[in-house]
Amino acid sequence: MKLELFSRIMDQLAPYRDDIAYIVLNGCGEPLLDKKIGDKIALARSRGFAGIQLSTNATELRDAVGEGLLEAGLNRLIISIDGATKETHEAIRKRTNWGEIVDNAERFIARRDAGRYGTEVWIRMIGQPLNDHEWPDYEAYWSSRIDPDRGDRVAYFRAHNWGRESGIEGAAPKEAKITYCEDLWSRVYIHADGAIALCCVDDDGWFEIGNIRDVDAVEMLNSSPVFLRHRSLMASGRTHELDHCRHCVVPLTREQTNYRQGVRAR
């Protein structure tokens, strides 16, 4: 996303900043490939947003990049490492180097601590059958390297199916009844071109909800026929009538995470 468009979005959302818990600067891809990511963090901070977060696979989290995130004022960095061993992580995250990623994460934590920056560091495993057995060792290893008093956490999140009929085995039980999804009630997803998406797995732009260049994102969340229809059918137990929701297990994975346990007060 170009910085000019990002600035417009921050200006548009600024009146709602007291009600926005986090601006999340990631979605479809690796955010640290964005050469302007530090500028965007700093810009969001300048507009008064209390929480700015991004998730990374840490392949690009080298010293200069990490320093830029800290200096820009990032509130929370979630680092995805999916195994306690090289073999497991690299079997899940192809074409990555577990040793380099672990080193990048540890160097970032050390730099954060030395500089007394306020950035929280969450080390996150996406749980699935390939790595479930490593969670105890994973949690023990990273718990010894973070600082809960700074808001750090060793986090887990179950793998999901990206709203598709098939997905990773063991992700979540599809037969569970879903009558609520945060994405439809309280979150706004904006693509790099400014298009408003339905939800976190809507990479393809399933509906023409509107573009942030032309409409107010919060007004669209509250009044768009697309959102109103999805909320009405889901709340009444008719999720099976929604093409992109009937197989989705994302709401279930959010119930199987430790994200909300003991969140630090601000």
Side-chain angles (χ1 to χ4, degrees):
M1 180 180 287
K2 294 186 181 298
L3 190 60
E4 173 271 333
L5 177 57
F6 183 79
S7 179
R8 288 180 61 176
I9 294 171
M10 293 299 98
D11 289 341
Q12 185 187 113
L13 295 178
Y16 307 104
R17 60 178 165 255
D18 291 341
D19 298 312
I20 296 175
Y22 269 91
I23 299 290
V24 180
L25 302 181
N26 59 269
C28 310
E30 170 53 47
L32 298 189
L33 292 174
D34 183 353
K35 303 303 181 185
K36 296 290 185 180
I37 192 66
D39 294 334
K40 291 173 181 175
I41 294 167
L43 195 155
R45 292 280 290 183
S46 74
R47 299 302 191 270
F49 291 99
I52 306 162
Q53 167 185 305
L54 63 83
S55 302
T56 176
N57 61 25
T59 55
E60 303 297 319
L61 189 60
R62 299 180 180 89
D63 288 351
V65 174
E67 181 73 18
L69 299 178
L70 294 167
E71 287 291 334
L74 184 67
N75 294 98
R76 179 184 296 157
L77 182 67
I78 299 178
I79 301 175
S80 289
I81 303 175
D82 287 339
T85 64
K86 175 182 177 70
E87 292 74 22
T88 298
H89 174 87
E90 293 182 8
I92 295 170
R93 293 188 178 263
K94 308 293 185 180
R95 299 183 298 280
T96 63
N97 185 305
W98 179 81
E100 290 182 2
I101 289 169
V102 169
D103 184 59
N104 287 347
E106 293 183 344
R107 289 169 67 88
F108 181 84
I109 294 169
R111 184 176 294 271
R112 186 277 308 265
D113 293 350
R116 305 296 297 175
Y117 295 101
T119 305
E120 298 176 4
V121 178
W122 288 22
I123 307 295
R124 179 183 65 186
M125 173 187 281
I126 304 298
Q128 53 199 280
L130 279 174
N131 62 13
D132 282 336
H133 65 286
E134 292 192 354
W135 172 253
D137 290 340
Y138 182 99
E139 183 179 32
Y141 181 88
W142 287 108
S143 292
S144 69
R145 285 158 173 77
I146 61 170
D147 184 356
D149 290 338
R150 291 174 173 266
D152 297 349
R153 180 174 303 175
V154 183
Y156 61 84
F157 196 95
R158 295 303 301 175
H160 59 72
N161 62 356
W162 294 94
R164 302 183 179 96
E165 186 171 1
S166 60
I168 297 174
E169 181 184 355
K174 286 191 225 176
E175 62 272 15
K177 189 173 182 179
I178 295 174
T179 58
Y180 175 78
C181 175
E182 293 177 8
D183 291 4
L184 301 178
W185 269 267
S186 60
R187 300 185 182 190
V188 177
Y189 290 88
I190 303 171
H191 286 164
D193 63 357
I196 298 172
L198 178 70
C199 62
C200 67
V201 299
D202 180 14
D203 292 351
D204 298 323
W206 295 322
F207 303 96
E208 293 186 6
I209 297 171
N211 192 290
I212 201 78
R213 298 178 187 273
D214 309 310
V215 300
D216 183 283
V218 175
E219 289 182 6
M220 285 298 98
L221 179 66
N222 291 331
S223 64
S224 164
V226 173
F227 285 116
L228 293 177
R229 176 175 180 268
H230 279 72
R231 288 198 291 264
S232 175
L233 288 176
M234 184 172 286
S236 61
R238 297 162 62 191
T239 302
H240 61 279
E241 297 181 31
L242 298 169
D243 290 343
H244 302 290
C245 303
R246 63 166 61 102
H247 299 297
C248 185
V249 298
V250 171
L252 302 178
T253 65
R254 289 176 178 156
E255 296 174 2
Q256 300 172 15
T257 179
N258 64 350
Y259 274 29
R260 296 179 176 87
Q261 296 174 7
V263 175
R264 184 174 60 170
R266 294 187 178 279

